[in-house]
Each structure stands twice: as C-alpha cells, then as structure tokens.
Amino acid sequence: MKIFVNLICSLCTLCALGLAGLSLPAHAADSHQNQSIVFGVHSKTAPLEWRNNGVDQGFNLELMDRIGQLMGKRIIIRRKSFQQLLKDVHDRDSLIDVIAVVSPITIDRELSQSDPIYATHAKAYTLQGKSFINGWNDLEGKRVAIKKGAFVDVYISGKKQDFTRVDVDLYETGFQLLIKGEVDVVIAENFVARRLMPLYPSIRSSSDPLIYGAFNFVSNYKNAEMMAQINDALRQLKLSGEYDRLVNKWFGTGREKVDLNSAQKKMLSLAIFVSLLSAVGMLLTGYISLSLRRRSKALKVELLQRKKAEEAISNLSKQFQSVLDGIPHGVTLFNRDGECLWSNDNNNDLLTSPEFHYIDGAAFNLANALSDALVEQKSQTADMQVNNQYWQLQLHPISQQQVVILLEEATEQHRLRQANDEASRLASLGELSAGIAHEINNPTGIIIHSIAFISDALKDLSEASDNYQRQNPFWTVAGMAPDSAMNELDVSSQSINEGAERISRIVNDLKRYALPTIANEYQPISVNEVVEVSLRLTANQTKIFNVTTDLLLPSPVVMGDAQQLHQVLINLIQNACHAIRQDAECYECKEHINIQTCVEDKHICLVISDKGAGMDSATLQRITEPFFTTRRSSGGTGLGLSVCSRIIKEHKADMQITSRLGKGTVIKIRFPLEY
C-alpha cells in the first residue's frame, strides 16, 4: 500500500512538473532550472545506481546529491533507457542536465565531461569451456556483442575491427544472445557483468581487462558552466575526504551493494536455524556418545567373531576364485554327501538325469563318481551323451571333502572327430582304390591285346570257314551255321573290346580322382571332360534315371584342379539322385537330371538341375553349413556341400542355388572367363 501511495505521489509530481513546464514562460523555466539539476539515470546495477522499493540509490546518486548541496541546487532524478539518455544529452532542448556514463580513459566524449568519478574496465565474457581471450586479436572472426553508445562502442569507433559486431541495447541482451548461440563473445563493463553472471551461470569471464575507463558526469555543451561548478564541487569533496568516505561506503566491501535490511533478516533467520541445529546436534552427540560407550564392549566381542568368519569366507573365496580363474566352463561344487554347494551352470540338472550316460552306454551315477574322485584324489574326464547331444564331464577334487564338476557341451567336437574318422576312411579307400585300379589295369590290358588278336584271326579264318563249309555242308560251329557263328564271334569280340576299353577308362578316371590335390598347380581343364568323367564314375547311381546333357562346343576351359572339380560334380550328381528318390512322382518325368555347360555374362557356367523333392527356404539358407544334413538317418554327414563350397571358392568361382519344394533344384557354378 505504501509503494502504491508513493507511486501516485510520484505521478502527481511528474504531472505537476509537466504542467508547470508547459504553462511557465521561458524565463520562469530557466529560473526553475537554475534552482535544480535534472540527473538522468538508467542503470539497474548496484552499487552505482538502482531503484530499491521505489527509492533510487547508489554511489552516483549520493555523490550527485552532495554536489547539488554544495552548489545550492536540488537534484531531480529522471529514469530512462541508456539510449534515450544519450539522445537527450545531445539535444539542447532536453530537460536532462547530467548523466553518469563510462568513458575510455584515453578518449573523451564530444560533450561537457567531469573529472573521473570512479575507475572501471571492460572484459570479454564467453560460455563455460570456451578458450581464453588474450587480446583483441583473439576476437578475429568471432561474433561480438557491443552495447550501442557504451564506452566500449566509443573506444572501438573508427578503429579496425576484425570481428563481426552485433549491436545490443543492454549488456543483458548480449548475455541472452550468448546463451542462444547467436554471438560468441560479449564485451561488457565490469559492474554490470558482475550483477548478471549469477543469473547466467553458464557464462564466465574469459579475459583480462581489455578497456580501462572511468565513470564521468556528462552534460550538453549548453551546460558547460554548470559542469565547471560540478567539477569544483567534486574536487572539494575529494579534498575534504568525503569522496573517499562515499567510495568506502559503496565499494569498500569489494562486492556489489545489497539490501542491508533484507540481508539482516536473512542472517537472523539463518543464525536462529543454526543455533537450533547446534542444540539438536549437541543432544544427538551426547546420546550417541553414551550409546557408543555401551556398545564398545559388545563391539570388541563382535570384532573377534567377524575376524573368524572373515577368515573362513576368505578361504572359501580363494577356493572358488582358483576354480573360476582357471576354468571357463560350467562349474558345480559338491561335497562328499552329494550336496550342491555352488554352481554357475544352468545345465547341472543333467548330472541327475537318468538319460545322462557315458558314451559307451554305461549309466552315470553322481554319488559314485564323487566318491571315486575323492578316494583317488585324481582328476577324471569322461565323454557323456544325452539324446543327440554330447558333453565332456570333468571331476576335480579340490579338498578331502569337495569336488568341482565341469560340464561342457562337445557335440560339435564329437561330430568333427566323426568327420575326421570318415575322412581317414575315405583317404584309405582312395589309396585302396588306386591300388585296385592298378591291378585291374593289368588283366584289362591283356584282354584288349588278346581280343585284338582274336579279331584279326577271325578275319583270316572266315575264308577257310567258307571253303570247309562247301566241302562239308553239315559242319556247325557251337551248334550254329558257320557263317552265323563267324558273325556272332565278330560281334562278341567287338563287345569284349568295347567292355575292356570301358573298364580301362573307368579305372583311369578312378586313378585320377584318387590322386592327391596340389592347390597351387592349377592347369587348364575342359569343363565338358569334367562332366563326362563324373558321369562315368556315377554311372551305377544314375543308370535308373534319365540323365541329359547340353554341353557347349568347343568345350569351355577353366583353370583348376580336375580331381577337385570331379569331386564337386560327383557330389552334386549324387545329391540330385537322392533328391529324386525322395519324390516318387519324379520317376514319371521325361528328364530327371540335366547337366549344362555355357558361357554367360563373362562367366563359364556349369548348371546341374534336377526334378527332385526340392528344399524350403530354411534348409536352403543352411545347405552349405558343416554337418548340416537332411539325411542324417540314412548316413549323411553334412560335409558334402560344405566341401564343395570351399573348393569352388578356391577356384575363384561362386555357387548359386535355387530350389522350390516339389519343383526341384538348380545349382549354377560360375567360373571367371579366363580364355
């Protein structure tokens, strides 16, 4: 209510002054001005000039008030914006007589100016984390906020500016632009910046003083005489020591002026709160001290018990740590009675499962296994099986009463061992095949040589047979007429020769297939010949199917190893035969298997297509994975296409597989075109 009354009184005073100014004649107005000084203020910054509870106060105002007393004039305060005050002091008809502004110490303003009132400076301010500003050169290329008309503006006017200047009406506006990222630096006067920084905690002082200045009273040239009187009064205050008293009053604490009444109330409330808190703390301290005394004896006993417990826990922890550090598998710790003390394995229920047995079929008994390990005090390892999974079981005694069991799935390792055994058998079979082929070649050579002799002999005997038949018309050969018998003997000799040559070709193909692979010695290979040899080697399997070929002539040639390519194509032909056997409807097709060679898109292509059962998308995605097979029950190992895929990659080729259930499968092998 008091503030409201003061506001009304102020408005009434302003209105009265305004009406008086309008109604008084010029000489009356001049007479009024001679009795007072209109002091324009704009700042909200302590300790210079600010309004608190409707009252203007501060160092500048109190200093001007004392100067007015010495001059015998009343000081009238008018509060406007900084830009408006600058405009007013340049206007000869303005009612504003004096304002307080900062001027650079090396540059005077183009107005009547008093002696320095108080020293200040301007610094650069940036966001936290930005680099330090060591001088004006560090502002190059940056966006710098400058308060229009302020002493920073006066200082840099007419000087080279390597930065982008952004004019603002207030330093606070510059700080707001800095927060928004629209400027990089604000150059602000010290007292104003100190007031603003608590309101903008992300802003910091980033330089030493860049400009030194001083507060001065400034007036229009029409008031030059008045400014001389202000200077005289100011010097008198300095000589009397009263100026120093004012400086000590407003600046002596080294911080901005605060509202003492408010501070006193806050400090009183804080002191009361601290006193109460101290009293409560003293009571609590006394109570706690008594409790501590009562508990001290009990704590001694408890500490002894804890030491014993910690020793036991430490021993157990070391045991566990030694096991866990050395073994990456599932771990289960048992005592002599078969109780599980600790486990990190989710599969420890297998140890008590009736389906969990040794790989040789013997039943597994956990209690007997623990007892044997503790009695012998030796680690034991066994291969186990449950359903179609294989596991490795390890038992390690770690004391006289405890055994740790390690359980690791070994299904893949088991299958790898089986595959290795199968590979060893195949290698032995290859060596055996090479030996048998060599042994077969000898009688085959004899047959071919002998049948050639018989054929030549039959030609010579044909004329003798005709002559003898004329002499003895009733002569027969093996119950047949001589001419018919001679024809039959000729046909038989030709059949024997063809059969022997076929045996020779098959044996030679088998010998080449059994030769060891030398990957670094690839040679030009006829793709058509690979097809023909593979078909001869699989003739026994494909004889019940209709196999057609569409081979490009002349035959395409690729760089590679013939034996490996035979292995790939034989495997694919065998897979096609198995796929057709799975689908009985395929036997009615006119074309079961087709093999084609061609050249397309700068690639030599070998295409094997069948009309078999086909594959679904899930099977197609895994078809080249090792050990994946759909014929596990019939003896499939799942290694055929995996090996084929490796061989094809070694030949810098790729394999494309397309398949649909009930429609068959097409496999295209694409070799780079090198010839």
Side-chain angles (χ1 to χ4, degrees):
M1 186 66 182
K2 180 179 179 181
I3 296 173
F4 180 73
V5 172
N6 291 336
L7 180 60
I8 293 177
C9 292
S10 299
L11 290 173
C12 293
T13 303
L14 289 173
C15 292
L17 290 172
L19 292 172
L22 291 173
S23 59
L24 289 175
H27 66 276
D30 292 339
S31 176
H32 175 74
Q33 291 180 359
N34 290 333
Q35 298 175 3
S36 63
I37 297 175
V38 180
F39 184 44
V41 296
H42 69 90
S43 174
K44 300 178 182 178
T45 306
L48 300 169
E49 51 194 45
W50 83 101
R51 178 169 290 179
N52 185 24
N53 294 329
V55 179
D56 288 298
Q57 54 184 307
F59 172 79
N60 288 343
L61 279 79
E62 188 169 350
L63 180 61
M64 178 54 70
D65 186 65
R66 288 294 296 122
I67 290 174
Q69 292 176 13
L70 293 176
M71 294 174 60
K73 295 185 178 182
R74 184 167 62 93
I75 304 301
I76 299 174
I77 305 301
R78 294 287 183 269
R79 183 169 289 278
K80 296 185 178 182
S81 68
F82 177 72
Q83 282 73 20
Q84 184 61 48
L85 289 176
L86 286 178
K87 183 178 179 181
D88 286 343
V89 296
H90 285 84
D91 185 5
R92 290 182 174 276
D93 298 327
S94 172
L95 296 178
I96 300 298
D97 295 320
V98 181
I99 64 173
V101 295
V102 182
S103 298
I105 58 175
T106 57
I107 301 174
D108 292 335
R109 294 181 178 270
E110 298 176 354
L111 296 168
S112 295
Q113 185 171 301
S114 72
D115 294 339
I117 300 173
Y118 194 79
T120 185
H121 62 267
K123 297 194 295 184
Y125 295 85
T126 65
L127 293 175
Q128 296 282 356
K130 299 297 182 180
S131 59
F132 193 81
I133 306 297
N134 294 305
W136 291 95
N137 292 335
D138 290 346
L139 299 177
E140 183 177 355
K142 291 183 170 55
R143 299 167 296 175
V144 182
I146 305 294
K147 181 179 177 182
K148 186 67 176 176
F151 86 113
V152 178
D153 183 14
V154 174
Y155 178 81
I156 65 175
S157 294
K159 295 184 178 181
K160 181 181 178 182
Q161 301 175 16
D162 296 327
F163 52 86
T164 302
R165 170 174 172 163
V166 179
D167 290 333
V168 295
D169 57 340
L170 297 170
Y171 290 123
E172 186 168 8
T173 304
F175 275 37
Q176 293 171 354
L177 295 178
L178 186 60
I179 293 293
K180 295 177 182 178
E182 297 180 13
V183 298
D184 303 311
V185 181
V186 177
I187 301 181
E189 190 271 333
N190 176 52
F191 288 110
V192 180
R194 287 171 59 190
R195 176 183 66 84
L196 294 176
M197 286 179 67
L199 304 177
Y200 300 92
S202 61
I203 295 177
R204 69 162 188 174
S205 170
S206 299
S207 75
D208 294 326
L210 298 176
I211 308 172
Y212 289 92
F215 284 90
N216 302 87
F217 293 126
V218 176
S219 177
N220 196 292
Y221 280 118
K222 68 175 184 178
N223 296 322
E225 182 178 353
M226 179 186 67
M227 186 56 65
Q229 297 175 2
I230 290 175
N231 269 333
D232 291 339
L234 181 59
R235 293 164 188 164
Q236 184 177 346
L237 291 173
K238 289 182 178 180
L239 291 173
S240 67
E242 188 170 357
Y243 171 86
D244 294 334
R245 181 183 63 79
L246 290 176
V247 169
N248 185 61
K249 173 182 177 180
W250 294 103
F251 300 97
T253 58
R255 60 175 182 264
E256 296 180 359
K257 185 65 178 175
V258 297
D259 185 354
L260 296 179
N261 292 332
S262 175
Q264 289 173 354
K265 292 179 181 179
K266 292 179 181 177
M267 291 299 295
L268 179 60
S269 301
L270 180 61
I272 294 172
F273 175 77
V274 171
S275 299
L276 292 175
L277 189 62
S278 299
V280 173
M282 291 178 64
L283 293 175
L284 290 174
T285 302
Y287 175 78
I288 292 172
S289 63
L290 290 175
S291 299
L292 289 174
R293 291 176 184 176
R294 294 173 184 174
R295 289 284 297 169
S296 59
K297 294 182 180 180
L299 286 175
K300 291 180 180 179
V301 177
E302 186 177 351
L303 285 173
L304 292 176
Q305 295 175 347
R306 287 191 176 184
K307 286 182 179 179
K308 294 180 180 179
E310 286 175 358
E311 289 178 358
I313 293 173
S314 176
N315 292 333
L316 184 60
S317 175
K318 289 178 180 178
Q319 293 171 357
F320 275 106
Q321 194 65 42
S322 63
V323 172
L324 295 177
D325 287 345
I327 303 173
H329 314 310
V331 181
T332 307
L333 184 65
F334 289 95
N335 62 12
R336 179 180 290 275
D337 298 330
E339 296 177 353
C340 180
L341 303 179
W342 184 88
S343 175
N344 70 343
D345 188 4
N346 294 327
N347 297 311
N348 61 348
D349 55 341
L350 292 176
L351 299 173
T352 57
S353 173
E355 298 179 355
F356 191 65
H357 56 83
Y358 292 98
I359 197 169
D360 59 2
F364 173 76
N365 185 279
L366 178 61
N368 294 339
L370 293 175
S371 177
D372 293 343
L374 289 172
V375 170
E376 297 179 5
Q377 284 295 304
K378 292 182 179 180
S379 299
Q380 300 178 11
T381 302
D383 292 328
M384 313 298 293
Q385 183 177 0
V386 55
N387 298 328
N388 293 324
Q389 291 182 325
Y390 295 89
W391 299 79
Q392 186 182 69
L393 179 70
Q394 298 181 40
L395 293 88
H396 301 279
I398 58 174
S399 70
Q400 295 296 329
Q401 301 294 328
Q402 295 176 350
V403 176
V404 63
I405 292 183
L406 310 180
L407 193 60
E408 179 187 12
E409 186 177 1
T411 304
E412 184 174 351
Q413 291 88 330
H414 181 78
R415 290 176 179 172
L416 285 172
R417 285 198 297 271
Q418 288 182 328
N420 185 53
D421 295 340
E422 182 70 19
S424 298
R425 287 195 296 271
L426 291 175
S428 301
L429 181 59
E431 294 178 2
L432 182 61
S433 299
I436 293 173
H438 177 73
E439 294 300 325
I440 292 174
N441 263 343
N442 291 332
T444 303
I446 295 173
I447 292 171
I448 293 174
H449 178 75
S450 299
I451 202 64
F453 173 76
I454 292 173
S455 297
D456 293 339
L458 286 174
K459 293 178 182 178
D460 295 337
L461 291 173
S462 178
E463 294 180 1
S465 174
D466 292 340
N467 292 331
Y468 186 75
Q469 185 179 10
R470 284 193 296 268
Q471 294 176 9
N472 188 1
F474 300 102
W475 176 54
T476 62
V477 178
M480 299 176 60
D483 55 349
S484 298
M486 294 301 292
N487 290 334
E488 187 66 27
L489 286 172
D490 185 55
V491 171
S492 296
S493 64
Q494 291 180 5
S495 299
I496 293 171
N497 186 64
E498 290 176 358
E501 289 180 349
R502 177 175 174 81
I503 292 172
S504 179
R505 286 197 302 271
I506 292 174
V507 169
N508 288 332
D509 291 341
L510 188 60
K511 288 176 65 178
R512 286 198 300 271
Y513 184 75
L515 288 175
T517 301
I518 304 176
N520 295 329
E521 297 183 2
Y522 285 170
Q523 297 178 353
I525 303 296
S526 169
V527 180
N528 290 359
E529 183 179 349
V530 171
V531 174
E532 293 168 356
V533 171
S534 300
L535 286 175
R536 285 198 296 270
L537 291 175
T538 56
N540 189 54
Q541 294 173 285
T542 60
K543 62 185 178 182
I544 62 174
F545 303 115
N546 183 15
V547 180
T548 60
T549 58
D550 184 9
L551 306 181
L552 179 65
L553 294 175
S555 173
V557 176
V558 298
M559 291 296 295
D561 182 270
Q563 181 238 345
Q564 288 187 330
L565 296 181
H566 293 159
Q567 182 179 354
V568 170
L569 189 54
I570 288 171
N571 192 283
L572 296 179
I573 293 173
Q574 290 174 340
N575 286 348
C577 294
H578 289 302
I580 296 173
R581 288 196 186 98
Q582 294 176 7
D583 192 350
E585 296 180 0
C586 292
Y587 284 104
E588 301 176 1
C589 301
K590 294 182 180 180
E591 179 183 294
H592 295 141
I593 302 173
N594 177 261
I595 303 176
Q596 177 187 6
T597 59
C598 61
V599 176
E600 59 179 36
D601 297 333
K602 296 182 179 180
H603 287 84
I604 297 173
C605 299
L606 174 59
V607 184
I608 304 94
S609 58
D610 66 71
K611 300 296 183 181
M615 295 176 284
D616 57 21
S617 58
T619 303
L620 196 59
Q621 290 177 356
R622 302 184 59 192
I623 196 65
T624 58
E625 292 182 11
F627 308 110
F628 177 79
T629 178
T630 58
R631 298 186 294 106
R632 183 76 66 189
S633 59
S634 60
T637 63
L639 291 173
L641 280 179
S642 175
V643 173
C644 290
S645 177
R646 175 184 60 79
I647 293 173
I648 290 170
K649 290 179 180 178
E650 290 176 354
H651 283 73
K652 299 180 181 179
D654 61 78
M655 180 168 60
Q656 300 175 349
I657 306 175
T658 57
S659 183
R660 292 179 59 190
L661 285 174
K663 301 295 183 180
T665 302
V666 177
I667 300 178
K668 179 186 289 186
I669 303 173
R670 304 194 313 160
F671 298 90
L673 184 60
E674 299 182 5
Y675 288 92

